[in-house]
Amino acid sequence: MKIAFFSTKKYDMDFFNKLNEKYNFDIKYFESKLNEKTAILAKGFDVVCAFVNDDLNKKVIKILKENGIKLIALRSAGFNHVDISAAKKYNIKVVHVPKYSPYAVAEHTIALILSLNRKIHKSYLRIRENNFSLDGLLGFDLHGKIVGIIGTGKIGRITANILKGFGMKILGYDKFPNDEFIGEYVNLNTLFEKSDIISLHCPLNKDTYHIINKNTINLMKKGVMIINTSRGGLIDTKAVIDGLKSKKIGYLGLDVYEEEENIFFEDLSEEIIDDKTFLRLTTFPNVLITGHQGFFTQEALTNIAETTLENINNFKNGTLNQNVII
Ligand code: NAD
């Protein structure tokens, strides 16, 4: 199996090379993202291995087909960046890693909640400047507060379990409720109206695009905390900026951003960032942004490499019966 590996970072090579000792696949690592301009690089390969900010639109999939690609092996759970109907049309199979470490993302969600609430990001900087004043660092007890979990799948349920341990009351909304969810299911409007913290854990699709928007923000409690470790497109960023300016939103924690593909995963410290919306977000003291690092734990990277290579191996042996999107 010849694998064209896109959006490669050093840590990808470290984990994949180690686990590939078992399979000995021929992996060519490309730093470039997969898009209409770079898809031609896949010529002569059997498989493309892609990540969250690769763009597998209709045109890209057509180019991949013309160049002999038989399998798209996503090293992510989400597949909103793949035109699935085009893959079907061109008879290219798509596999993913549905569960690599839901704990990684749930724990990062908690990190954002605690840091924002107790203003750890500010304390860290203050102490370095010998400023030991507590002014501006006032937080609130999580105990007794209400959290609303939107999307009670693997990550949402683990997040709920952890927050239950803090003594929070857990509300949930899901299109497909799950018996293992420990909270109380309510309708979406009730969740927006009652929650002190709202945490997003549903996939991005046509139903959930901009689920946080001007109208839903209007329903929320004044000073609400919104956390998004799922997908950027769940939030209408401009509406959230208005909510922050009016102080309706008291805290915003983001690990994902609508236009992140032009920013995240790169060192842009010597560059000029041209995204005015993103730059506006970074000016608020009560906004904490991480660059899509929720998945970034040793356990998750090991599982991603293991499952991706096993998916490819199953495809090679004609035994592919799990982790298949189409
Ligand atoms: P999952 O499939 O186990 O859970 C998703 C849940 O959302 C399911 O229960 C599903 O029924 C529900 N859902 C579907 N449509 C919905 C709708 N319209 N409204 C409300 N709920 C709906 O997925 P998961 O493993 O828990 O992952 C959740 C999300 O986390 C993924 O979609 C992915 O975008 C994101 N994610 C982020 C990172 C990161 O690094 N930040 C890493 C992995 C996953």
Side-chain angles (χ1 to χ4, degrees):
M1 287 268 109
K2 290 188 73 181
I3 304 167
F5 196 106
F6 284 87
S7 298
T8 310
K9 300 288 177 206
K10 186 181 171 300
Y11 47 80
D12 292 316
M13 286 201 280
D14 291 346
F15 280 85
F16 272 81
N17 283 343
K18 185 160 176 267
L19 289 150
N20 192 34
E21 285 170 12
K22 178 174 159 198
Y23 301 96
N24 219 10
F25 291 136
D26 182 359
I27 307 180
K28 168 92 179 158
Y29 293 102
F30 295 105
E31 274 182 38
S32 349
K33 283 182 198 143
L34 177 57
N35 55 37
E36 288 166 33
K37 286 191 195 132
T38 61
I40 190 67
L41 292 170
K43 189 177 175 144
F45 289 84
D46 305 298
V47 181
V48 293
C49 185
F51 198 48
V52 289
N53 288 330
D54 290 317
D55 183 5
L56 290 116
N57 64 31
K58 203 181 287 177
K59 272 193 189 162
V60 170
I61 290 178
K62 184 167 182 281
I63 300 170
L64 295 179
K65 179 68 184 179
E66 286 164 357
N67 287 287
I69 293 299
K70 301 168 197 74
L71 175 72
I72 294 168
L74 300 174
R75 45 184 202 280
S76 60
F79 48 88
N80 54 288
H81 52 308
V82 184
D83 186 329
I84 296 299
S85 54
K88 208 174 199 169
K89 178 176 164 198
Y90 290 111
N91 196 24
I92 299 184
K93 280 229 155 305
V94 183
V95 289
H96 70 147
V97 186
K99 185 178 162 185
Y100 41 83
S101 173
Y103 302 101
V105 186
E107 289 170 17
H108 191 71
T109 303
I110 306 301
L112 288 176
I113 292 173
L114 290 175
S115 302
L116 270 171
N117 176 18
R118 306 307 294 267
K119 302 175 175 66
I120 304 299
H121 52 304
K122 287 187 180 181
S123 315
Y124 173 79
L125 295 173
R126 279 192 193 184
I127 298 298
R128 296 198 143 211
E129 293 183 352
N130 293 343
N131 175 357
F132 302 99
S133 152
L134 297 183
D135 290 336
L137 300 183
L138 192 65
F140 60 87
D141 285 6
L142 291 179
H143 184 92
K145 300 294 186 305
I146 301 176
V147 61
I149 306 277
I150 300 181
T152 57
K154 293 178 286 297
I155 297 170
R157 292 202 303 275
I158 294 167
T159 305
N161 293 345
I162 299 171
L163 290 173
K164 181 88 182 164
F166 282 110
M168 294 195 79
K169 175 163 189 221
I170 318 283
L171 300 181
Y173 169 77
D174 198 301
K175 211 173 164 185
F176 308 97
N178 186 304
D179 287 346
E180 289 173 34
F181 176 59
I182 53 155
E184 177 194 345
Y185 278 114
V186 293
N187 67 42
L188 204 45
N189 282 1
T190 305
L191 184 146
F192 286 134
E193 284 162 10
K194 290 199 165 166
S195 300
D196 300 294
I197 299 176
I198 295 168
S199 195
L200 302 173
H201 300 287
C202 55
L204 175 61
N205 56 37
K206 63 176 182 7
D207 292 339
T208 60
Y209 176 73
H210 283 186
I211 197 167
I212 303 296
N213 58 49
K214 189 175 170 216
N215 296 333
T216 54
I217 292 168
N218 271 339
L219 297 173
M220 295 176 195
K221 282 185 177 172
K222 188 168 163 51
V224 65
M225 179 188 290
I226 300 174
I227 304 287
N228 187 8
T229 58
S230 194
R231 282 293 179 267
L234 297 176
I235 288 186
D236 176 348
T237 314
K238 295 211 164 83
V240 157
I241 288 174
D242 288 341
L244 285 159
K245 278 157 83 176
S246 69
K247 302 200 172 158
K248 178 87 173 180
I249 299 173
Y251 311 80
L252 177 68
L254 299 180
D255 188 47
V256 287
Y257 166 63
E258 285 192 270
E259 307 293 334
E260 69 176 52
E261 61 274 14
N262 302 322
I263 306 173
F264 285 4
F265 301 121
E266 305 301 329
D267 178 357
L268 301 179
S269 50
E270 302 295 317
E271 310 283 328
I272 309 289
I273 293 181
D274 202 21
D275 182 333
K276 291 190 181 64
T277 308
F278 182 78
L279 293 175
R280 181 68 181 100
L281 272 182
T282 62
T283 64
F284 293 97
N286 49 352
V287 173
L288 183 53
I289 305 176
T290 52
H292 208 138
Q293 70 177 76
F295 73 101
F296 203 57
T297 65
Q298 298 193 18
E299 291 77 3
L301 289 191
T302 304
N303 288 342
I304 287 172
E306 243 165 25
T307 308
T308 304
L309 292 171
E310 192 54 27
N311 286 343
I312 295 170
N313 198 42
N314 286 335
F315 176 77
K316 179 181 146 224
N317 297 333
T319 52
L320 196 57
N321 55 19
Q322 56 180 3
N323 307 335
V324 181
I325 294 167
I326 56 139

